[in-house]
Amino acid sequence: MQTATTQNGEASKTSRVGKRPVDVPKGVTVSMQGRKVEIKGAKGQLARELPSTVDVKVEGTKLHVTSTAPGRDGSRLQGLVRALLASMVKGAADGYERVLELKGTGYRVDLKGTTLTFALGYSHPVVFNVPKGLTATIPADSKGTVLVLAGADKELIGQTAATIRGFRPPEPYGGKGVRYRGERVREKAGKAGGKGGKK
């Protein structure tokens, strides 16, 4: 970690990761409007307001992030903004994807337009509208047990996937519910009866 000097003469620490430029691939454009940075690409358009103590410069195909905040706040903000910008660039260029799986007898999801309807073992269906900026698809061979969320905004995909998982989190007994693909659910053994059990 290195130090720089702020306008008021205080030492500002710079982040080793934060000072690395963000590469902007072909097909992605970056523009600045005051404190607002806008990034456009094949997968979508994203915008974010920058903290007052962080500056971003566009130099050719690279984004450079600097911070004037004093002390450790400088390196923290520099690293945070760099990570956010890198995520936005990747999202605009390639997009992000999150896959959810429904486990349980009769559990399924249907999609009509931008409305998802879940059957999750309740007495009523759970209806959810896909947020603007995301797309939802249900692979035909999954018979409604797999849901794919895609879009440019990594944060929005994560929040949406967490909301849907929350409709019926995986149960510890049997693992029924909604889970992320690849998620390891700690399943507890059911109460065993028969030989060796208490009479």
Side-chain angles (χ1 to χ4, degrees), residues 43 46 48 87 90-92 94-100 116 128 130-136 147-165 180:
K43 296 299 183 178
L46 299 168
R48 181 179 291 275
S87 174
K90 184 180 185 305
D94 305 319
Y96 290 96
E97 184 177 280
R98 199 71 196 259
V99 182
L100 295 162
L116 294 167
F128 180 78
V130 180
K132 185 178 179 180
L134 297 188
T135 61
L147 173 65
V148 181
L149 299 174
D153 193 331
K154 184 179 182 180
E155 290 180 68
L156 182 58
I157 287 182
Q159 292 167 0
T160 302
T163 296
I164 292 173
R165 183 184 181 278
Y180 304 123

PDB file of all heavy atoms in Angstrom, residues 43 46 48 87 90-92 94-100 116 128 130-136 147-165 180:
ATOM      1  N   LYS A  43     -24.590  -6.364 -23.523  1.00  0.00           N
ATOM      2  CA  LYS A  43     -25.530  -6.977 -22.584  1.00  0.00           C
ATOM      3  C   LYS A  43     -26.366  -5.970 -21.797  1.00  0.00           C
ATOM      4  O   LYS A  43     -27.241  -6.369 -21.020  1.00  0.00           O
ATOM      5  CB  LYS A  43     -24.779  -7.882 -21.611  1.00  0.00           C
ATOM      6  CG  LYS A  43     -24.107  -9.075 -22.265  1.00  0.00           C
ATOM      7  CD  LYS A  43     -25.102  -9.988 -22.946  1.00  0.00           C
ATOM      8  CE  LYS A  43     -24.418 -11.225 -23.539  1.00  0.00           C
ATOM      9  NZ  LYS A  43     -25.390 -12.147 -24.171  1.00  0.00           N
ATOM     10  N   LEU A  46     -25.352   0.321 -17.674  1.00  0.00           N
ATOM     11  CA  LEU A  46     -25.309   0.481 -16.226  1.00  0.00           C
ATOM     12  C   LEU A  46     -24.789   1.872 -15.873  1.00  0.00           C
ATOM     13  O   LEU A  46     -23.995   2.455 -16.605  1.00  0.00           O
ATOM     14  CB  LEU A  46     -24.399  -0.579 -15.591  1.00  0.00           C
ATOM     15  CG  LEU A  46     -24.801  -2.040 -15.805  1.00  0.00           C
ATOM     16  CD1 LEU A  46     -23.677  -2.968 -15.375  1.00  0.00           C
ATOM     17  CD2 LEU A  46     -26.069  -2.367 -15.038  1.00  0.00           C
ATOM     18  N   ARG A  48     -23.746   4.534 -12.296  1.00  0.00           N
ATOM     19  CA  ARG A  48     -23.510   4.607 -10.852  1.00  0.00           C
ATOM     20  C   ARG A  48     -22.944   5.976 -10.488  1.00  0.00           C
ATOM     21  O   ARG A  48     -22.129   6.534 -11.203  1.00  0.00           O
ATOM     22  CB  ARG A  48     -22.529   3.513 -10.411  1.00  0.00           C
ATOM     23  CG  ARG A  48     -22.255   3.500  -8.911  1.00  0.00           C
ATOM     24  CD  ARG A  48     -21.295   2.390  -8.553  1.00  0.00           C
ATOM     25  NE  ARG A  48     -21.885   1.078  -8.726  1.00  0.00           N
ATOM     26  CZ  ARG A  48     -22.620   0.469  -7.805  1.00  0.00           C
ATOM     27  NH1 ARG A  48     -22.871   1.069  -6.647  1.00  0.00           N
ATOM     28  NH2 ARG A  48     -23.105  -0.739  -8.021  1.00  0.00           N
ATOM     29  N   SER A  87     -16.823  -4.871 -12.283  1.00  0.00           N
ATOM     30  CA  SER A  87     -18.045  -5.678 -12.358  1.00  0.00           C
ATOM     31  C   SER A  87     -19.006  -5.116 -13.403  1.00  0.00           C
ATOM     32  O   SER A  87     -19.629  -5.866 -14.166  1.00  0.00           O
ATOM     33  CB  SER A  87     -18.726  -5.717 -10.989  1.00  0.00           C
ATOM     34  OG  SER A  87     -19.976  -6.376 -11.061  1.00  0.00           O
ATOM     35  N   LYS A  90     -17.643  -5.861 -16.975  1.00  0.00           N
ATOM     36  CA  LYS A  90     -17.864  -7.271 -17.321  1.00  0.00           C
ATOM     37  C   LYS A  90     -19.343  -7.534 -17.598  1.00  0.00           C
ATOM     38  O   LYS A  90     -19.703  -8.253 -18.531  1.00  0.00           O
ATOM     39  CB  LYS A  90     -17.377  -8.192 -16.197  1.00  0.00           C
ATOM     40  CG  LYS A  90     -17.501  -9.682 -16.535  1.00  0.00           C
ATOM     41  CD  LYS A  90     -17.020 -10.544 -15.403  1.00  0.00           C
ATOM     42  CE  LYS A  90     -17.028 -12.025 -15.776  1.00  0.00           C
ATOM     43  NZ  LYS A  90     -18.335 -12.519 -16.255  1.00  0.00           N
ATOM     44  N   GLY A  91     -20.209  -6.944 -16.772  1.00  0.00           N
ATOM     45  CA  GLY A  91     -21.638  -7.148 -16.956  1.00  0.00           C
ATOM     46  C   GLY A  91     -22.131  -6.579 -18.269  1.00  0.00           C
ATOM     47  O   GLY A  91     -22.915  -7.213 -18.982  1.00  0.00           O
ATOM     48  N   ALA A  92     -21.659  -5.377 -18.630  1.00  0.00           N
ATOM     49  CA  ALA A  92     -22.076  -4.753 -19.880  1.00  0.00           C
ATOM     50  C   ALA A  92     -21.550  -5.520 -21.087  1.00  0.00           C
ATOM     51  O   ALA A  92     -22.203  -5.599 -22.131  1.00  0.00           O
ATOM     52  CB  ALA A  92     -21.590  -3.306 -19.926  1.00  0.00           C
ATOM     53  N   ASP A  94     -20.250  -8.994 -21.118  1.00  0.00           N
ATOM     54  CA  ASP A  94     -20.552 -10.428 -21.167  1.00  0.00           C
ATOM     55  C   ASP A  94     -21.832 -10.822 -20.424  1.00  0.00           C
ATOM     56  O   ASP A  94     -22.410 -11.871 -20.693  1.00  0.00           O
ATOM     57  CB  ASP A  94     -19.387 -11.242 -20.585  1.00  0.00           C
ATOM     58  CG  ASP A  94     -18.070 -10.925 -21.267  1.00  0.00           C
ATOM     59  OD1 ASP A  94     -18.067 -10.783 -22.506  1.00  0.00           O
ATOM     60  OD2 ASP A  94     -17.042 -10.815 -20.570  1.00  0.00           O
ATOM     61  N   GLY A  95     -22.235 -10.007 -19.448  1.00  0.00           N
ATOM     62  CA  GLY A  95     -23.408 -10.344 -18.654  1.00  0.00           C
ATOM     63  C   GLY A  95     -23.083 -11.333 -17.550  1.00  0.00           C
ATOM     64  O   GLY A  95     -21.995 -11.917 -17.504  1.00  0.00           O
ATOM     65  N   TYR A  96     -24.040 -11.488 -16.639  1.00  0.00           N
ATOM     66  CA  TYR A  96     -23.916 -12.445 -15.542  1.00  0.00           C
ATOM     67  C   TYR A  96     -25.110 -13.396 -15.572  1.00  0.00           C
ATOM     68  O   TYR A  96     -26.145 -13.095 -16.169  1.00  0.00           O
ATOM     69  CB  TYR A  96     -23.878 -11.721 -14.189  1.00  0.00           C
ATOM     70  CG  TYR A  96     -22.617 -10.936 -13.953  1.00  0.00           C
ATOM     71  CD1 TYR A  96     -22.559  -9.574 -14.225  1.00  0.00           C
ATOM     72  CD2 TYR A  96     -21.480 -11.561 -13.452  1.00  0.00           C
ATOM     73  CE1 TYR A  96     -21.390  -8.852 -14.003  1.00  0.00           C
ATOM     74  CE2 TYR A  96     -20.315 -10.838 -13.227  1.00  0.00           C
ATOM     75  CZ  TYR A  96     -20.285  -9.488 -13.502  1.00  0.00           C
ATOM     76  OH  TYR A  96     -19.122  -8.788 -13.283  1.00  0.00           O
ATOM     77  N   GLU A  97     -24.942 -14.519 -14.917  1.00  0.00           N
ATOM     78  CA  GLU A  97     -26.001 -15.526 -14.908  1.00  0.00           C
ATOM     79  C   GLU A  97     -26.051 -16.224 -13.545  1.00  0.00           C
ATOM     80  O   GLU A  97     -25.015 -16.449 -12.923  1.00  0.00           O
ATOM     81  CB  GLU A  97     -25.740 -16.561 -16.009  1.00  0.00           C
ATOM     82  CG  GLU A  97     -26.818 -17.610 -16.168  1.00  0.00           C
ATOM     83  CD  GLU A  97     -26.527 -18.566 -17.326  1.00  0.00           C
ATOM     84  OE1 GLU A  97     -26.776 -18.198 -18.484  1.00  0.00           O
ATOM     85  OE2 GLU A  97     -26.014 -19.673 -17.057  1.00  0.00           O
ATOM     86  N   ARG A  98     -27.247 -16.500 -13.090  1.00  0.00           N
ATOM     87  CA  ARG A  98     -27.418 -17.251 -11.835  1.00  0.00           C
ATOM     88  C   ARG A  98     -28.500 -18.295 -12.067  1.00  0.00           C
ATOM     89  O   ARG A  98     -29.577 -17.982 -12.592  1.00  0.00           O
ATOM     90  CB  ARG A  98     -27.835 -16.319 -10.693  1.00  0.00           C
ATOM     91  CG  ARG A  98     -27.593 -16.909  -9.299  1.00  0.00           C
ATOM     92  CD  ARG A  98     -26.108 -16.950  -9.022  1.00  0.00           C
ATOM     93  NE  ARG A  98     -25.768 -17.806  -7.904  1.00  0.00           N
ATOM     94  CZ  ARG A  98     -25.483 -17.361  -6.676  1.00  0.00           C
ATOM     95  NH1 ARG A  98     -25.528 -16.086  -6.411  1.00  0.00           N
ATOM     96  NH2 ARG A  98     -25.115 -18.191  -5.717  1.00  0.00           N
ATOM     97  N   VAL A  99     -28.227 -19.541 -11.688  1.00  0.00           N
ATOM     98  CA  VAL A  99     -29.156 -20.639 -11.911  1.00  0.00           C
ATOM     99  C   VAL A  99     -29.726 -21.113 -10.576  1.00  0.00           C
ATOM    100  O   VAL A  99     -28.989 -21.363  -9.623  1.00  0.00           O
ATOM    101  CB  VAL A  99     -28.466 -21.823 -12.635  1.00  0.00           C
ATOM    102  CG1 VAL A  99     -29.462 -22.944 -12.893  1.00  0.00           C
ATOM    103  CG2 VAL A  99     -27.837 -21.349 -13.949  1.00  0.00           C
ATOM    104  N   LEU A 100     -31.038 -21.228 -10.524  1.00  0.00           N
ATOM    105  CA  LEU A 100     -31.739 -21.715  -9.336  1.00  0.00           C
ATOM    106  C   LEU A 100     -32.411 -23.036  -9.664  1.00  0.00           C
ATOM    107  O   LEU A 100     -32.939 -23.229 -10.765  1.00  0.00           O
ATOM    108  CB  LEU A 100     -32.791 -20.699  -8.879  1.00  0.00           C
ATOM    109  CG  LEU A 100     -32.246 -19.354  -8.380  1.00  0.00           C
ATOM    110  CD1 LEU A 100     -33.346 -18.305  -8.390  1.00  0.00           C
ATOM    111  CD2 LEU A 100     -31.678 -19.500  -6.980  1.00  0.00           C
ATOM    112  N   LEU A 116     -43.174 -14.642 -13.011  1.00  0.00           N
ATOM    113  CA  LEU A 116     -42.863 -16.012 -12.591  1.00  0.00           C
ATOM    114  C   LEU A 116     -43.906 -16.470 -11.581  1.00  0.00           C
ATOM    115  O   LEU A 116     -44.249 -15.733 -10.655  1.00  0.00           O
ATOM    116  CB  LEU A 116     -41.475 -16.072 -11.950  1.00  0.00           C
ATOM    117  CG  LEU A 116     -40.276 -15.775 -12.871  1.00  0.00           C
ATOM    118  CD1 LEU A 116     -39.026 -15.547 -12.044  1.00  0.00           C
ATOM    119  CD2 LEU A 116     -40.073 -16.917 -13.856  1.00  0.00           C
ATOM    120  N   PHE A 128     -44.061 -13.641  -8.779  1.00  0.00           N
ATOM    121  CA  PHE A 128     -42.931 -12.708  -8.706  1.00  0.00           C
ATOM    122  C   PHE A 128     -42.686 -12.100 -10.084  1.00  0.00           C
ATOM    123  O   PHE A 128     -42.634 -12.808 -11.089  1.00  0.00           O
ATOM    124  CB  PHE A 128     -41.672 -13.454  -8.240  1.00  0.00           C
ATOM    125  CG  PHE A 128     -40.444 -12.593  -8.123  1.00  0.00           C
ATOM    126  CD1 PHE A 128     -40.265 -11.750  -7.035  1.00  0.00           C
ATOM    127  CD2 PHE A 128     -39.461 -12.630  -9.109  1.00  0.00           C
ATOM    128  CE1 PHE A 128     -39.133 -10.956  -6.929  1.00  0.00           C
ATOM    129  CE2 PHE A 128     -38.320 -11.843  -9.013  1.00  0.00           C
ATOM    130  CZ  PHE A 128     -38.158 -11.003  -7.917  1.00  0.00           C
ATOM    131  N   VAL A 130     -40.243 -10.300 -12.675  1.00  0.00           N
ATOM    132  CA  VAL A 130     -38.814 -10.180 -12.939  1.00  0.00           C
ATOM    133  C   VAL A 130     -38.451  -8.698 -13.057  1.00  0.00           C
ATOM    134  O   VAL A 130     -39.076  -7.961 -13.824  1.00  0.00           O
ATOM    135  CB  VAL A 130     -38.431 -10.909 -14.244  1.00  0.00           C
ATOM    136  CG1 VAL A 130     -36.929 -10.782 -14.518  1.00  0.00           C
ATOM    137  CG2 VAL A 130     -38.829 -12.380 -14.159  1.00  0.00           C
ATOM    138  N   PRO A 131     -37.453  -8.218 -12.305  1.00  0.00           N
ATOM    139  CA  PRO A 131     -37.066  -6.805 -12.363  1.00  0.00           C
ATOM    140  C   PRO A 131     -36.598  -6.392 -13.752  1.00  0.00           C
ATOM    141  O   PRO A 131     -36.052  -7.203 -14.516  1.00  0.00           O
ATOM    142  CB  PRO A 131     -35.908  -6.714 -11.358  1.00  0.00           C
ATOM    143  CG  PRO A 131     -36.089  -7.882 -10.451  1.00  0.00           C
ATOM    144  CD  PRO A 131     -36.657  -8.962 -11.317  1.00  0.00           C
ATOM    145  N   LYS A 132     -36.816  -5.134 -14.068  1.00  0.00           N
ATOM    146  CA  LYS A 132     -36.359  -4.591 -15.334  1.00  0.00           C
ATOM    147  C   LYS A 132     -34.839  -4.698 -15.415  1.00  0.00           C
ATOM    148  O   LYS A 132     -34.136  -4.435 -14.449  1.00  0.00           O
ATOM    149  CB  LYS A 132     -36.781  -3.120 -15.442  1.00  0.00           C
ATOM    150  CG  LYS A 132     -36.459  -2.487 -16.785  1.00  0.00           C
ATOM    151  CD  LYS A 132     -36.938  -1.051 -16.827  1.00  0.00           C
ATOM    152  CE  LYS A 132     -36.599  -0.386 -18.162  1.00  0.00           C
ATOM    153  NZ  LYS A 132     -37.061   1.021 -18.216  1.00  0.00           N
ATOM    154  N   GLY A 133     -34.339  -5.112 -16.561  1.00  0.00           N
ATOM    155  CA  GLY A 133     -32.901  -5.268 -16.736  1.00  0.00           C
ATOM    156  C   GLY A 133     -32.439  -6.705 -16.626  1.00  0.00           C
ATOM    157  O   GLY A 133     -31.302  -7.020 -16.951  1.00  0.00           O
ATOM    158  N   LEU A 134     -33.334  -7.592 -16.164  1.00  0.00           N
ATOM    159  CA  LEU A 134     -33.012  -9.020 -16.069  1.00  0.00           C
ATOM    160  C   LEU A 134     -33.907  -9.824 -17.002  1.00  0.00           C
ATOM    161  O   LEU A 134     -35.024  -9.414 -17.316  1.00  0.00           O
ATOM    162  CB  LEU A 134     -33.203  -9.534 -14.640  1.00  0.00           C
ATOM    163  CG  LEU A 134     -32.340  -8.944 -13.534  1.00  0.00           C
ATOM    164  CD1 LEU A 134     -32.567  -9.733 -12.245  1.00  0.00           C
ATOM    165  CD2 LEU A 134     -30.871  -8.947 -13.907  1.00  0.00           C
ATOM    166  N   THR A 135     -33.405 -10.975 -17.413  1.00  0.00           N
ATOM    167  CA  THR A 135     -34.220 -11.917 -18.170  1.00  0.00           C
ATOM    168  C   THR A 135     -34.280 -13.225 -17.401  1.00  0.00           C
ATOM    169  O   THR A 135     -33.322 -13.603 -16.720  1.00  0.00           O
ATOM    170  CB  THR A 135     -33.651 -12.174 -19.577  1.00  0.00           C
ATOM    171  OG1 THR A 135     -32.332 -12.738 -19.455  1.00  0.00           O
ATOM    172  CG2 THR A 135     -33.586 -10.897 -20.383  1.00  0.00           C
ATOM    173  N   ALA A 136     -35.406 -13.897 -17.502  1.00  0.00           N
ATOM    174  CA  ALA A 136     -35.579 -15.194 -16.846  1.00  0.00           C
ATOM    175  C   ALA A 136     -35.947 -16.222 -17.911  1.00  0.00           C
ATOM    176  O   ALA A 136     -36.784 -15.955 -18.776  1.00  0.00           O
ATOM    177  CB  ALA A 136     -36.668 -15.112 -15.781  1.00  0.00           C
ATOM    178  N   LEU A 147     -34.458 -22.486 -13.101  1.00  0.00           N
ATOM    179  CA  LEU A 147     -34.686 -21.102 -13.501  1.00  0.00           C
ATOM    180  C   LEU A 147     -33.338 -20.418 -13.710  1.00  0.00           C
ATOM    181  O   LEU A 147     -32.470 -20.476 -12.836  1.00  0.00           O
ATOM    182  CB  LEU A 147     -35.477 -20.363 -12.420  1.00  0.00           C
ATOM    183  CG  LEU A 147     -35.672 -18.858 -12.599  1.00  0.00           C
ATOM    184  CD1 LEU A 147     -36.518 -18.562 -13.835  1.00  0.00           C
ATOM    185  CD2 LEU A 147     -36.315 -18.257 -11.351  1.00  0.00           C
ATOM    186  N   VAL A 148     -33.175 -19.766 -14.862  1.00  0.00           N
ATOM    187  CA  VAL A 148     -31.929 -19.085 -15.188  1.00  0.00           C
ATOM    188  C   VAL A 148     -32.184 -17.579 -15.231  1.00  0.00           C
ATOM    189  O   VAL A 148     -33.019 -17.104 -16.006  1.00  0.00           O
ATOM    190  CB  VAL A 148     -31.361 -19.549 -16.543  1.00  0.00           C
ATOM    191  CG1 VAL A 148     -30.034 -18.831 -16.835  1.00  0.00           C
ATOM    192  CG2 VAL A 148     -31.162 -21.062 -16.550  1.00  0.00           C
ATOM    193  N   LEU A 149     -31.476 -16.835 -14.388  1.00  0.00           N
ATOM    194  CA  LEU A 149     -31.544 -15.377 -14.381  1.00  0.00           C
ATOM    195  C   LEU A 149     -30.305 -14.832 -15.067  1.00  0.00           C
ATOM    196  O   LEU A 149     -29.194 -15.285 -14.793  1.00  0.00           O
ATOM    197  CB  LEU A 149     -31.614 -14.838 -12.950  1.00  0.00           C
ATOM    198  CG  LEU A 149     -32.814 -15.271 -12.099  1.00  0.00           C
ATOM    199  CD1 LEU A 149     -32.637 -14.772 -10.670  1.00  0.00           C
ATOM    200  CD2 LEU A 149     -34.117 -14.742 -12.690  1.00  0.00           C
ATOM    201  N   ALA A 150     -30.476 -13.847 -15.946  1.00  0.00           N
ATOM    202  CA  ALA A 150     -29.339 -13.284 -16.664  1.00  0.00           C
ATOM    203  C   ALA A 150     -29.515 -11.783 -16.807  1.00  0.00           C
ATOM    204  O   ALA A 150     -30.628 -11.257 -16.840  1.00  0.00           O
ATOM    205  CB  ALA A 150     -29.195 -13.936 -18.038  1.00  0.00           C
ATOM    206  N   GLY A 151     -28.376 -11.073 -16.886  1.00  0.00           N
ATOM    207  CA  GLY A 151     -28.418  -9.626 -17.044  1.00  0.00           C
ATOM    208  C   GLY A 151     -27.046  -9.017 -16.850  1.00  0.00           C
ATOM    209  O   GLY A 151     -26.069  -9.706 -16.546  1.00  0.00           O
ATOM    210  N   ALA A 152     -26.979  -7.704 -17.005  1.00  0.00           N
ATOM    211  CA  ALA A 152     -25.700  -7.002 -16.892  1.00  0.00           C
ATOM    212  C   ALA A 152     -25.368  -6.616 -15.461  1.00  0.00           C
ATOM    213  O   ALA A 152     -24.197  -6.455 -15.110  1.00  0.00           O
ATOM    214  CB  ALA A 152     -25.719  -5.753 -17.772  1.00  0.00           C
ATOM    215  N   ASP A 153     -26.390  -6.461 -14.624  1.00  0.00           N
ATOM    216  CA  ASP A 153     -26.201  -5.962 -13.256  1.00  0.00           C
ATOM    217  C   ASP A 153     -26.002  -7.124 -12.281  1.00  0.00           C
ATOM    218  O   ASP A 153     -26.956  -7.804 -11.903  1.00  0.00           O
ATOM    219  CB  ASP A 153     -27.414  -5.133 -12.846  1.00  0.00           C
ATOM    220  CG  ASP A 153     -27.184  -4.320 -11.583  1.00  0.00           C
ATOM    221  OD1 ASP A 153     -26.381  -4.754 -10.734  1.00  0.00           O
ATOM    222  OD2 ASP A 153     -27.800  -3.248 -11.450  1.00  0.00           O
ATOM    223  N   LYS A 154     -24.754  -7.322 -11.858  1.00  0.00           N
ATOM    224  CA  LYS A 154     -24.430  -8.433 -10.965  1.00  0.00           C
ATOM    225  C   LYS A 154     -25.150  -8.319  -9.632  1.00  0.00           C
ATOM    226  O   LYS A 154     -25.648  -9.319  -9.087  1.00  0.00           O
ATOM    227  CB  LYS A 154     -22.915  -8.482 -10.734  1.00  0.00           C
ATOM    228  CG  LYS A 154     -22.445  -9.659  -9.899  1.00  0.00           C
ATOM    229  CD  LYS A 154     -20.934  -9.634  -9.744  1.00  0.00           C
ATOM    230  CE  LYS A 154     -20.439 -10.828  -8.945  1.00  0.00           C
ATOM    231  NZ  LYS A 154     -18.950 -10.799  -8.785  1.00  0.00           N
ATOM    232  N   GLU A 155     -25.225  -7.096  -9.093  1.00  0.00           N
ATOM    233  CA  GLU A 155     -25.896  -6.893  -7.799  1.00  0.00           C
ATOM    234  C   GLU A 155     -27.379  -7.226  -7.893  1.00  0.00           C
ATOM    235  O   GLU A 155     -27.944  -7.875  -7.008  1.00  0.00           O
ATOM    236  CB  GLU A 155     -25.724  -5.444  -7.343  1.00  0.00           C
ATOM    237  CG  GLU A 155     -24.315  -5.083  -6.924  1.00  0.00           C
ATOM    238  CD  GLU A 155     -24.219  -3.632  -6.485  1.00  0.00           C
ATOM    239  OE1 GLU A 155     -24.786  -3.291  -5.436  1.00  0.00           O
ATOM    240  OE2 GLU A 155     -23.593  -2.832  -7.201  1.00  0.00           O
ATOM    241  N   LEU A 156     -28.017  -6.777  -8.963  1.00  0.00           N
ATOM    242  CA  LEU A 156     -29.455  -7.016  -9.136  1.00  0.00           C
ATOM    243  C   LEU A 156     -29.748  -8.502  -9.290  1.00  0.00           C
ATOM    244  O   LEU A 156     -30.723  -9.012  -8.722  1.00  0.00           O
ATOM    245  CB  LEU A 156     -29.977  -6.245 -10.350  1.00  0.00           C
ATOM    246  CG  LEU A 156     -31.477  -6.350 -10.638  1.00  0.00           C
ATOM    247  CD1 LEU A 156     -32.298  -5.883  -9.444  1.00  0.00           C
ATOM    248  CD2 LEU A 156     -31.841  -5.557 -11.885  1.00  0.00           C
ATOM    249  N   ILE A 157     -28.903  -9.207 -10.031  1.00  0.00           N
ATOM    250  CA  ILE A 157     -29.083 -10.658 -10.179  1.00  0.00           C
ATOM    251  C   ILE A 157     -28.957 -11.341  -8.824  1.00  0.00           C
ATOM    252  O   ILE A 157     -29.753 -12.211  -8.472  1.00  0.00           O
ATOM    253  CB  ILE A 157     -28.065 -11.244 -11.176  1.00  0.00           C
ATOM    254  CG1 ILE A 157     -28.434 -10.853 -12.606  1.00  0.00           C
ATOM    255  CG2 ILE A 157     -28.006 -12.769 -11.066  1.00  0.00           C
ATOM    256  CD1 ILE A 157     -27.515 -11.432 -13.653  1.00  0.00           C
ATOM    257  N   GLY A 158     -27.939 -10.939  -8.048  1.00  0.00           N
ATOM    258  CA  GLY A 158     -27.731 -11.546  -6.735  1.00  0.00           C
ATOM    259  C   GLY A 158     -28.898 -11.299  -5.795  1.00  0.00           C
ATOM    260  O   GLY A 158     -29.361 -12.214  -5.106  1.00  0.00           O
ATOM    261  N   GLN A 159     -29.411 -10.056  -5.785  1.00  0.00           N
ATOM    262  CA  GLN A 159     -30.535  -9.719  -4.922  1.00  0.00           C
ATOM    263  C   GLN A 159     -31.791 -10.474  -5.336  1.00  0.00           C
ATOM    264  O   GLN A 159     -32.547 -10.985  -4.495  1.00  0.00           O
ATOM    265  CB  GLN A 159     -30.790  -8.209  -4.982  1.00  0.00           C
ATOM    266  CG  GLN A 159     -29.701  -7.365  -4.353  1.00  0.00           C
ATOM    267  CD  GLN A 159     -29.826  -5.892  -4.712  1.00  0.00           C
ATOM    268  OE1 GLN A 159     -30.729  -5.483  -5.433  1.00  0.00           O
ATOM    269  NE2 GLN A 159     -28.907  -5.086  -4.203  1.00  0.00           N
ATOM    270  N   THR A 160     -32.028 -10.561  -6.647  1.00  0.00           N
ATOM    271  CA  THR A 160     -33.215 -11.245  -7.156  1.00  0.00           C
ATOM    272  C   THR A 160     -33.157 -12.739  -6.852  1.00  0.00           C
ATOM    273  O   THR A 160     -34.145 -13.335  -6.420  1.00  0.00           O
ATOM    274  CB  THR A 160     -33.350 -11.017  -8.678  1.00  0.00           C
ATOM    275  OG1 THR A 160     -33.417  -9.615  -8.939  1.00  0.00           O
ATOM    276  CG2 THR A 160     -34.606 -11.685  -9.213  1.00  0.00           C
ATOM    277  N   ALA A 161     -31.988 -13.344  -7.073  1.00  0.00           N
ATOM    278  CA  ALA A 161     -31.830 -14.776  -6.794  1.00  0.00           C
ATOM    279  C   ALA A 161     -32.040 -15.058  -5.304  1.00  0.00           C
ATOM    280  O   ALA A 161     -32.670 -16.049  -4.933  1.00  0.00           O
ATOM    281  CB  ALA A 161     -30.452 -15.249  -7.239  1.00  0.00           C
ATOM    282  N   ALA A 162     -31.519 -14.163  -4.445  1.00  0.00           N
ATOM    283  CA  ALA A 162     -31.678 -14.353  -2.997  1.00  0.00           C
ATOM    284  C   ALA A 162     -33.142 -14.232  -2.586  1.00  0.00           C
ATOM    285  O   ALA A 162     -33.627 -14.973  -1.724  1.00  0.00           O
ATOM    286  CB  ALA A 162     -30.840 -13.324  -2.244  1.00  0.00           C
ATOM    287  N   THR A 163     -33.870 -13.308  -3.229  1.00  0.00           N
ATOM    288  CA  THR A 163     -35.293 -13.142  -2.929  1.00  0.00           C
ATOM    289  C   THR A 163     -36.064 -14.402  -3.303  1.00  0.00           C
ATOM    290  O   THR A 163     -36.897 -14.903  -2.522  1.00  0.00           O
ATOM    291  CB  THR A 163     -35.870 -11.943  -3.700  1.00  0.00           C
ATOM    292  OG1 THR A 163     -35.220 -10.747  -3.251  1.00  0.00           O
ATOM    293  CG2 THR A 163     -37.373 -11.807  -3.469  1.00  0.00           C
ATOM    294  N   ILE A 164     -35.790 -14.936  -4.492  1.00  0.00           N
ATOM    295  CA  ILE A 164     -36.487 -16.138  -4.951  1.00  0.00           C
ATOM    296  C   ILE A 164     -36.135 -17.333  -4.071  1.00  0.00           C
ATOM    297  O   ILE A 164     -37.013 -18.118  -3.694  1.00  0.00           O
ATOM    298  CB  ILE A 164     -36.142 -16.417  -6.430  1.00  0.00           C
ATOM    299  CG1 ILE A 164     -36.743 -15.317  -7.311  1.00  0.00           C
ATOM    300  CG2 ILE A 164     -36.648 -17.791  -6.860  1.00  0.00           C
ATOM    301  CD1 ILE A 164     -36.331 -15.393  -8.764  1.00  0.00           C
ATOM    302  N   ARG A 165     -34.862 -17.467  -3.716  1.00  0.00           N
ATOM    303  CA  ARG A 165     -34.459 -18.571  -2.826  1.00  0.00           C
ATOM    304  C   ARG A 165     -35.191 -18.465  -1.496  1.00  0.00           C
ATOM    305  O   ARG A 165     -35.546 -19.465  -0.874  1.00  0.00           O
ATOM    306  CB  ARG A 165     -32.948 -18.540  -2.608  1.00  0.00           C
ATOM    307  CG  ARG A 165     -32.401 -19.684  -1.747  1.00  0.00           C
ATOM    308  CD  ARG A 165     -30.909 -19.497  -1.524  1.00  0.00           C
ATOM    309  NE  ARG A 165     -30.338 -20.566  -0.727  1.00  0.00           N
ATOM    310  CZ  ARG A 165     -30.371 -20.629   0.600  1.00  0.00           C
ATOM    311  NH1 ARG A 165     -30.989 -19.666   1.293  1.00  0.00           N
ATOM    312  NH2 ARG A 165     -29.801 -21.630   1.251  1.00  0.00           N
ATOM    313  N   TYR A 180     -29.392 -22.500  -5.008  1.00  0.00           N
ATOM    314  CA  TYR A 180     -28.525 -22.105  -6.107  1.00  0.00           C
ATOM    315  C   TYR A 180     -27.893 -23.359  -6.700  1.00  0.00           C
ATOM    316  O   TYR A 180     -27.585 -24.307  -5.971  1.00  0.00           O
ATOM    317  CB  TYR A 180     -27.400 -21.182  -5.632  1.00  0.00           C
ATOM    318  CG  TYR A 180     -27.865 -19.942  -4.915  1.00  0.00           C
ATOM    319  CD1 TYR A 180     -27.422 -19.659  -3.621  1.00  0.00           C
ATOM    320  CD2 TYR A 180     -28.741 -19.047  -5.520  1.00  0.00           C
ATOM    321  CE1 TYR A 180     -27.828 -18.515  -2.962  1.00  0.00           C
ATOM    322  CE2 TYR A 180     -29.158 -17.902  -4.867  1.00  0.00           C
ATOM    323  CZ  TYR A 180     -28.704 -17.649  -3.580  1.00  0.00           C
ATOM    324  OH  TYR A 180     -29.114 -16.515  -2.928  1.00  0.00           O
TER     325      TYR A 180
END
